[in-house]
Amino acid sequence: MIDRFQYNIGVPAEDLAKYCHGGYHPVHLNDLLCDGRYRILDKLGFGSFSTVWLARDEVKEIYVSIKIVVAEQSHNHNGELQILQTITRTGDTTHPGHKHVSHLIDSFYHEGPNGRHLCMVLELLGPKISSVVNRRPNYRLDGRLARRISSQLLLGVDYIRSCGVTHGDIHLGNVLFRVSGLNRIPTFDDSRIGKVSRKDGAPSEKGVPEYLVEPVEYKFDKSEILDEIQLVDFGESFLIGNPPKSICTPTSLHPPELVFRHPLTEVVDIWNLGCTTYELVTGRTLFEAWMDDRELVPQFQKVLGGVPDQWIQDALKTGEDIQASYANGYDKETLDLDEEDLTTLGSYLRRMCIVEPTQRANLTELMSHPWVQVDKGTQKEQ
């Protein structure tokens, strides 16, 4: 692995040290992939195991997203690819949750200086919810919009469950807006390119890109409607019949069975759906932990109570905690959910955030809950 401290970089981007054998593929703007079919136009994001790019499909003449996986994870049995293929193969396209889940369009392998890389082509989406709320005055969505999106997220989870898949990593960073206007690509800014060079003037090591690109910031005019989402990133997903021993998801969202090292099942999605819904509506996390999930244990005891089967029930029974989280510190004119709405939300969350996994609500029960059913009526009125 190279020493990134020996390099000048210039822009915030992925870890340069991972541009080595088995690591990232060095991508440059206007690169062509898959025998010239896909032209790289801009960077959308990056993670520990991949970079994600805006590209143009020169055959279909559409814009797409391409996720380029690090070489060491690009084996023929890549878990995320298998999950996406399973969803494509078994999913019912008439299911209402189908449009709220990211789908595989194409996949191929690309040979580069750092190895052989799996490339997954997906629908081009808009910004993450987490990015949008960070630019809002109150750092959260309008209450009615948050409620509508929470319903869509439930539909998406129900859809992948019908395919025998557990997502395993539901959080606001993995929920993206669908945007109608993406036939126009984001405006590119040359200042987002950072030339890569060694501080001692020597040539860069093999596999290091000439420059890094800072991910694009989406900018939309007031006519753009952001009201529909997709659940993305199946890197931690698993088949219901073959659960892993552990999953990597944000520490504050670790379900109790992961914290206490109990067997994982598909209902980890129910816990994370509850925590994410709470954050989506209130703008605050239900629990907080940084690197060590043991930090969550005293919070479980403090926030949820002391008796295991009553932990979340007692805390959310009256809805007072939710009302406080929703209202405290916000301008009154921005509070578009009333006490009845928040009491309904509390009832919904109580069925998901239960410490004992076998006692959590099933998806059929959640789909018929007033929090979701009332929202369907609200959508029709708007």
Side-chain angles (χ1 to χ4, degrees):
M1 185 175 289
I2 68 170
D3 182 358
R4 64 181 181 275
F5 297 108
Q6 299 303 314
Y7 282 82
N8 297 304
I9 300 173
V11 295
E14 63 276 11
D15 186 357
L16 187 71
K18 291 187 177 180
Y19 280 99
C20 58
H21 181 71
Y24 294 126
H25 174 59
V27 179
H28 299 97
L29 301 177
N30 288 314
D31 279 357
L32 293 172
L33 304 177
C34 196
D35 297 322
R37 176 168 181 172
Y38 300 106
R39 181 181 298 277
I40 298 295
L41 301 178
D42 208 338
K43 180 185 281 182
L44 298 175
F46 60 87
S48 299
F49 302 107
S50 65
T51 54
V52 184
W53 300 84
L54 166 66
R56 178 174 170 81
D57 183 338
E58 303 287 10
V59 174
K60 293 185 177 181
E61 298 184 339
I62 61 172
Y63 296 110
V64 296
S65 168
I66 299 183
K67 184 174 187 175
I68 305 178
V69 181
V70 296
E72 65 183 6
Q73 297 290 327
S74 294
H75 41 77
N76 292 334
H77 301 291
N78 176 274
E80 183 172 12
L81 177 62
Q82 290 186 321
I83 289 292
L84 288 169
Q85 290 173 333
T86 296
I87 293 173
T88 299
R89 185 175 63 253
T90 63
D92 177 3
T93 57
T94 66
H95 189 293
H98 177 271
K99 66 179 179 179
H100 298 304
V101 172
S102 176
H103 294 279
L104 184 70
I105 297 174
D106 187 15
S107 66
F108 58 92
Y109 289 88
H110 181 81
E111 290 286 348
N114 293 329
R116 179 173 177 260
H117 301 266
L118 169 64
C119 302
M120 293 179 280
V121 183
L122 303 157
E123 178 183 349
L124 181 62
L125 299 172
K128 301 175 182 179
I129 286 184
S130 55
S131 297
V132 172
V133 299
N134 285 337
R135 297 199 296 269
R136 293 291 178 93
N138 288 318
Y139 298 100
R140 66 179 183 186
L141 302 178
D142 295 339
R144 292 190 181 92
L145 175 58
R147 184 173 188 175
R148 183 157 60 246
I149 289 173
S150 73
S151 299
Q152 296 174 9
L153 191 54
L154 175 64
L155 285 170
V157 173
D158 187 63
Y159 173 73
I160 63 171
R161 179 72 63 82
S162 73
C163 301
V165 169
T166 300
H167 188 275
D169 194 20
I170 298 172
H171 58 81
L172 294 186
N174 281 340
V175 183
L176 273 60
F177 280 106
R178 299 185 71 179
V179 180
S180 59
L182 279 178
N183 282 328
R184 66 178 196 282
I185 63 174
T187 303
F188 186 76
D189 184 352
D190 288 340
S191 67
R192 293 176 31 248
I193 292 180
K195 183 175 175 57
V196 174
S197 62
R198 284 186 60 94
K199 294 178 179 178
D200 61 7
S204 297
E205 281 105 328
K206 178 183 176 182
V208 174
E210 295 178 14
Y211 54 82
L212 294 180
V213 181
E214 183 181 356
V216 66
E217 283 283 344
Y218 284 93
K219 296 179 181 178
F220 302 107
D221 58 39
K222 293 182 179 180
S223 65
E224 198 70 68
I225 299 174
L226 299 178
D227 66 353
E228 196 168 89
I229 55 90
Q230 279 194 359
L231 179 63
V232 306
D233 196 341
F234 290 82
E236 294 298 318
S237 300
F238 57 89
L239 298 177
I240 291 175
N242 187 29
K245 292 184 178 180
S246 184
I247 49 177
C248 293
T249 191
T251 308
S252 60
L253 292 172
H254 281 192
E257 56 267 42
L258 181 60
V259 174
F260 295 108
R261 310 300 187 257
H262 283 227
L264 303 180
T265 67
E266 66 273 17
V267 297
V268 298
D269 277 356
I270 303 299
W271 176 273
N272 284 346
L273 186 61
C275 293
T276 300
T277 299
Y278 182 93
E279 183 177 0
L280 184 63
V281 176
T282 69
R284 296 179 166 97
T285 57
L286 188 55
F287 304 103
E288 292 185 7
W290 182 235
M291 297 296 290
D292 189 342
D293 61 8
R294 289 175 296 183
E295 297 173 17
L296 294 170
V297 176
Q299 295 179 61
F300 288 160
Q301 294 172 330
K302 179 180 179 180
V303 176
L304 306 181
V307 181
D309 60 0
Q310 286 295 120
W311 281 5
I312 196 74
Q313 310 299 317
D314 292 342
L316 300 177
K317 184 172 292 182
T318 64
E320 290 178 3
D321 286 353
I322 295 176
Q323 291 170 32
S325 291
Y326 181 67
N328 289 351
Y330 295 103
D331 296 333
K332 289 184 178 180
E333 58 268 23
T334 69
L335 306 180
D336 56 346
L337 297 179
D338 59 25
E339 183 176 341
E340 181 180 353
D341 293 327
L342 297 175
T343 299
T344 303
L345 172 61
S347 170
Y348 182 64
L349 296 177
R350 285 201 307 275
R351 296 302 303 126
M352 290 185 279
C353 296
I354 297 176
V355 173
E356 172 53 54
T358 61
Q359 298 301 311
R360 291 173 201 155
N362 59 46
L363 287 165
T364 300
E365 178 184 344
L366 294 174
M367 294 285 288
S368 62
H369 193 278
W371 173 261
V372 176
Q373 294 298 316
V374 171
D375 184 58
K376 289 180 180 178
T378 303
Q379 290 184 61
K380 291 178 182 178
E381 294 172 4
Q382 292 181 338

